[in-house]
Amino acid sequence: MSSVSCARLINGSAWLMIKTKTPLLSKIYRYIPVGLTLSVGIGLSIAATVTAWGWANNQTRLQLQEQADNLTTTFQRKIDEYYYMVVSLGAFHEASDQVPQDDYEAFTQHFLSIHSGILTLGWLKPVSARERPSYEAQMAKMGFANFSIYEYHPVKKQVIACINRG
């Protein structure tokens, strides 16, 4: 197979005609610019996608880390508040030899109103071994029929306290 290629010079006066053979390989050469353009375009698209994916992952990781830091800080502040409350209650008890139930309830009412994480604070009267039978009888009269004083056994098990212990 042969073909004729024509060219016209810029001044418009001369024509050049070249007769060439067009083998199959020369037909493929005309698609090289299209293939290169397509390859470069796909390559740049892949590179842009990988870059955007990496950036998005990094942003997500940074946001997660920031949220975790905020939660940790908030949690630590709450723990500190509750710790200071316990320290205050300890100082209140150390300030007096006897803390009456009414004073204790008045003092702790403030903590219950501002700390939603605290459900209740209890007042326990110290009871000596000598006072124990009368205290248990008094509690039974108040409606606590099966009232007993408990203690923790060394194996972390709650057991009814022995009568002879103080």
Side-chain angles (χ1 to χ4, degrees):
M1 231 194 247
S2 64
S3 71
V4 176
S5 296
C6 298
R8 184 174 179 197
L9 295 178
I10 297 199
N11 62 10
S13 61
W15 284 85
L16 175 66
M17 295 185 71
I18 303 171
K19 191 173 184 181
T20 60
K21 291 185 177 180
T22 57
L24 179 65
L25 193 57
S26 66
K27 289 181 179 179
I28 293 175
Y29 283 130
R30 67 179 145 176
Y31 294 112
I32 288 178
V34 173
L36 278 173
T37 304
L38 188 62
S39 298
V40 169
I42 290 173
L44 290 174
S45 295
I46 290 172
T49 301
V50 168
T51 302
W53 179 75
W55 179 82
N57 276 348
N58 190 39
Q59 291 299 314
T60 303
R61 185 182 54 79
L62 290 175
Q63 286 176 349
L64 182 64
Q65 183 64 43
E66 185 177 336
Q67 287 175 350
D69 290 345
N70 289 340
L71 287 173
T72 302
T73 302
T74 302
F75 188 62
Q76 184 62 48
R77 284 183 185 153
K78 283 294 183 188
I79 289 173
D80 290 344
E81 285 179 27
Y82 295 148
Y83 172 75
Y84 293 130
M85 183 198 61
V86 171
V87 169
S88 297
L89 286 172
F92 180 67
H93 279 279
E94 288 178 11
S96 175
D97 291 337
Q98 292 289 326
V99 178
Q101 184 175 359
D102 294 340
D103 290 347
Y104 178 83
E105 287 176 357
F107 185 75
T108 58
Q109 191 60 36
H110 172 72
F111 293 125
L112 292 173
S113 66
I114 63 171
H115 297 294
S116 62
I118 301 172
L119 301 178
T120 187
L121 291 170
W123 180 84
L124 297 175
K125 177 183 176 188
V127 178
S128 66
R130 193 169 32 99
E131 299 171 326
R132 181 176 173 180
S134 64
Y135 184 75
E136 288 178 341
Q138 179 186 4
M139 294 304 289
K141 285 180 189 175
M142 292 175 65
F144 300 103
N146 295 325
F147 179 82
S148 295
I149 296 176
Y150 288 88
E151 66 183 2
Y152 282 100
H153 198 267
V155 289
K156 306 284 184 188
K157 186 177 180 184
Q158 190 176 12
V159 295
I160 296 176
C162 296
I163 297 280
N164 59 357
R165 288 194 167 172

